[in-house]
């Protein structure tokens, strides 16, 4: 089954404790993104990657890091989580720039205390 | 700045037709897409317009007018399961494929 998976789905952590949210897709997509969703603000792009070893900042990259060492994986790293990073996070992938059809993962609800 | 405007809430009855509007102001425009999100779930792609006019996919249609920086999603024969949030998104860059999302419209379908 073609899908985007994220882990963990739910996480409660404390300020300053490094964490990684994994994202994996099995559709051989080139393009992957991370979004955060907050009430009243819609989906805001954090980082995106157009291919292996090619990543760039989205609209709200502060406090986040990403890596793209393999085509299928695009982990999101919070090295020093803070309470303002409490949010619902979605990973998404799409075949490439020829289409705007994105496939979203199930989401990760993160709470930073 | 770049922005997309959608109504925050829309209510309609089962079997009716509802239109959700989206106006945009972006530095570039390379297409308008629509996504549906049920409460707590992942957004799912509904439709895409790159050129002016109407695109139809079953009960859902999407329209675009680039000269007016405006589009809408039309949902016909509403069903209870259509109760969800609907987001419009503009592709603002051809090189990066960057998508800018609206804040979403919550549609409530009543019996």
């Amino acid at each position: 089954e073609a899908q985007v998976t994220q882990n963990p789905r739910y996480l409660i952590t404390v300020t300053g404790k490094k964490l990684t949210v994994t994202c994996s897709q099995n559709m051989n997509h080139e393009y992957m993104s991370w979004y955060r969703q907050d009430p009243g603000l819609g989906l805001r792009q954090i980082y995106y990657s157009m291919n292996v070893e090619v990543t760039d900042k989205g609209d709200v990259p502060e406090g986040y890091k990403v890596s793209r060492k393999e085509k299928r994986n695009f982990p999101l790293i919070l090295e020093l989580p803070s309470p303002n990073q409490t949010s619902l996070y979605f990973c998404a992938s799409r075949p490439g720039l020829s289409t705007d059809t994105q496939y979203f993962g199930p989401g990760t609800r993160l709470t930073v205390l | 700045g770049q922005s997309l405007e959608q109504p925050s809430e829309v209510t309609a009855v089962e079997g009716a037709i509802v239109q959700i509007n989206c106006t945009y102001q972006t530095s570039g425009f390379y297409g308008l897409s629509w996504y549906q999100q049920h409460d707590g779930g992942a957004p799912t792609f509904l439709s895409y317009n790159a050129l002016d006019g109407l695109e139809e996919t079953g009960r859902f249609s999407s329209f675009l007018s680039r000269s007016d920086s405006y589009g809408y999603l039309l949902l016909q024969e509403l069903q209870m399961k259509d109760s969800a949030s609907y987001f419009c998104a503009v592709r603002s860059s051809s090189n990066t494929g960057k998508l800018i999302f609206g804040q979403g419209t919550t549609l409530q379908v009543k019996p």
Side-chain angles (χ1 to χ4, degrees), chain A residues 90-101:
Chain A
F90 288 102
C91 179
S93 75
R94 71 199 219 207
L97 293 180
S98 62
T99 175
D100 283 357
T101 306

Side-chain angles (χ1 to χ4, degrees), chain B residues 71-90:
Chain B
Y72 65 74
L73 179 70
L74 192 72
L75 296 84
Q76 302 182 73
E77 300 172 20
L78 280 174
Q79 302 175 9
M80 297 298 291
K81 66 178 182 179
D82 296 329
S83 292
S85 292
Y86 294 84
F87 294 88
C88 59
V90 165

Side-chain angles (χ1 to χ4, degrees), chain A residues 31 37 40 59 94 97 100 105, chain B residues 35 37 42 91 95-98:
Chain A
Y31 195 105
Q37 185 174 31
D59 294 318
R94 71 199 219 207
L97 293 180
D100 283 357
Chain B
Y35 287 79
Q37 184 182 32
R91 180 169 170 172
N95 292 336
T96 67
K98 181 182 174 65

Side-chain angles (χ1 to χ4, degrees), chain A residues 1-5 25-27 72:
Chain A
E1 180 190 353
Q3 59 182 350
V4 180
T5 57
Q25 50 92 6
N26 62 0
M27 295 169 279
R72 63 184 293 127

Side-chain angles (χ1 to χ4, degrees), chain A residues 9 31 35 37 40-43 45 48 50 58-59 88 90 94 97-102 104-106, chain B residues 30-33 35 37 40-45 48 87 91 94-103:
Chain A
R9 295 289 314 280
Y31 195 105
Y35 295 89
Q37 185 174 31
L41 296 177
L43 289 152
Q45 190 179 53
Y48 65 93
M50 291 202 284
D59 294 318
L88 179 59
F90 288 102
R94 71 199 219 207
L97 293 180
S98 62
T99 175
D100 283 357
T101 306
Q102 284 200 116
F104 283 82
Chain B
Y30 298 91
L32 178 70
S33 50
Y35 287 79
Q37 184 182 32
T44 56
F45 173 81
Y48 171 70
F87 294 88
R91 180 169 170 172
S94 63
N95 292 336
T96 67
K98 181 182 174 65
L99 292 181
I100 301 171
F101 282 81
Q103 296 181 7

